Amino acid sequence: MMSGSSIIFLAAIALLLSACDVDAFTNQSPSRRALLKTTALNARPRQRKPWSERERQTILGRNGEHFKLDRMRGNIEFGSSSRIQTILDGANEDSVKRWLSDDKQIAMSIWDPKLIKEVEPKVYRLKCMTLMFVTIQLAPHVDVRMYEEGQGSMFKLESVAFDPNIQILPGVGVSADQLGILIDVVGELYPSRDGKGVDGKIGFVTKGELPPPMRLLPEQALKSSLGTINRTITNFAIDNFQRGARSKFQEFLLSERTA
């Protein structure tokens, strides 16, 4: 769904409950995973305040990876913003607009159907893979509101709540709440100029507070580790969207012909 590097959402996003385990990324042994699972400290789900257009455009206006570190205060944020372009077989501008008017169709195109569910009208919970960062394991989910404007001229999505689902190794001396993690996800889709597909952008930002021991880590080490998280989520999202959009659009065209 996003190109280049992303967290996480997810953010994200951005860059987002443990849905799949990527051993090559987390580099955890079975015993370490078991240890983490028995010492989980889950932060309470948090609601996000309503988005302003300025906040949306700040994230969507970026290109590629984002990294910001305030070592003195211990504040860190990272994420990615990427363009989306997908050609849809048999599409024209009118059919793409009609498709973009159906939030459920688009939601199931954006993410792996096994990792997404509707939690209330036009709000969908996106679960992410398990991510490992130093002594902290994240298995986040993000609740995302999805809606259209202008009768399919623009499809928007924005996070409204999240749970980082943090697990911490014993002996670290920090609780999940102390990390102050925030996850923002935002995006938009619209018919491409030639009407043969969709164009748009998606971005995520994850913010948190580094515990004092982690503030001593070299900036390049932090940047490299978080860049791996960005790329893992980005590639996962891109692959799912490109496959899902083409498949769901064909289902949509077929349903219109047989209605």
Side-chain angles (χ1 to χ4, degrees), residues 168-187:
I168 301 174
L169 281 170
V172 173
V174 62
S175 72
D177 283 337
Q178 284 177 297
L179 296 174
I181 290 179
L182 303 171
I183 301 172
D184 282 341
V185 181
V186 64

Side-chain angles (χ1 to χ4, degrees), residues 101-109 111-127 141-147 155 160:
S101 297
D102 188 334
D103 61 275
K104 190 163 292 188
Q105 276 275 342
I106 306 303
M108 297 305 161
S109 303
W111 211 243
D112 185 328
K114 298 187 295 295
L115 306 179
I116 185 173
K117 69 175 182 178
E118 189 173 11
V119 293
E120 60 182 78
K122 298 188 181 298
V123 177
Y124 299 83
R125 177 161 296 165
L126 279 59
K127 299 179 183 178
H141 71 243
V142 182
D143 293 349
V144 180
R145 185 165 73 98
M146 304 187 188
Y147 59 100
F155 181 86
V160 295

Side-chain angles (χ1 to χ4, degrees), residues 94-210:
D94 288 341
S95 62
V96 173
K97 283 185 176 181
R98 293 195 302 272
W99 184 57
L100 290 176
S101 297
D102 188 334
D103 61 275
K104 190 163 292 188
Q105 276 275 342
I106 306 303
M108 297 305 161
S109 303
I110 284 175
W111 211 243
D112 185 328
K114 298 187 295 295
L115 306 179
I116 185 173
K117 69 175 182 178
E118 189 173 11
V119 293
E120 60 182 78
K122 298 188 181 298
V123 177
Y124 299 83
R125 177 161 296 165
L126 279 59
K127 299 179 183 178
C128 192
M129 69 285 292
T130 301
L131 305 168
M132 189 69 191
F133 175 60
V134 195
T135 56
I136 300 168
Q137 178 175 288
L138 308 175
H141 71 243
V142 182
D143 293 349
V144 180
R145 185 165 73 98
M146 304 187 188
Y147 59 100
E148 59 89 22
E149 290 184 347
Q151 297 181 325
S153 296
M154 177 78 73
F155 181 86
K156 293 186 174 182
L157 60 90
E158 53 200 32
S159 54
V160 295
F162 65 92
D163 184 350
N165 195 20
I166 302 169
Q167 297 173 320
I168 301 174
L169 281 170
V172 173
V174 62
S175 72
D177 283 337
Q178 284 177 297
L179 296 174
I181 290 179
L182 303 171
I183 301 172
D184 282 341
V185 181
V186 64
E188 59 188 31
L189 287 170
Y190 41 83
S192 60
R193 288 185 177 181
D194 60 9
K196 296 181 180 180
V198 291
D199 205 342
K201 202 161 188 181
I202 189 165
F204 75 88
V205 175
T206 299
K207 303 176 183 179
E209 299 174 16
L210 287 175

Side-chain angles (χ1 to χ4, degrees), residues 17-34 36-37 115 128-132 137-139 167 232 236:
L17 263 95
S18 178
C20 51
D21 197 349
V22 187
D23 285 341
F25 169 58
T26 61
N27 196 29
Q28 300 174 57
S29 65
S31 60
R32 192 180 195 202
R33 288 197 299 271
L36 278 161
K37 289 175 182 176
L115 306 179
C128 192
M129 69 285 292
T130 301
L131 305 168
M132 189 69 191
Q137 178 175 288
L138 308 175
Q167 297 173 320
T232 300
F236 177 78

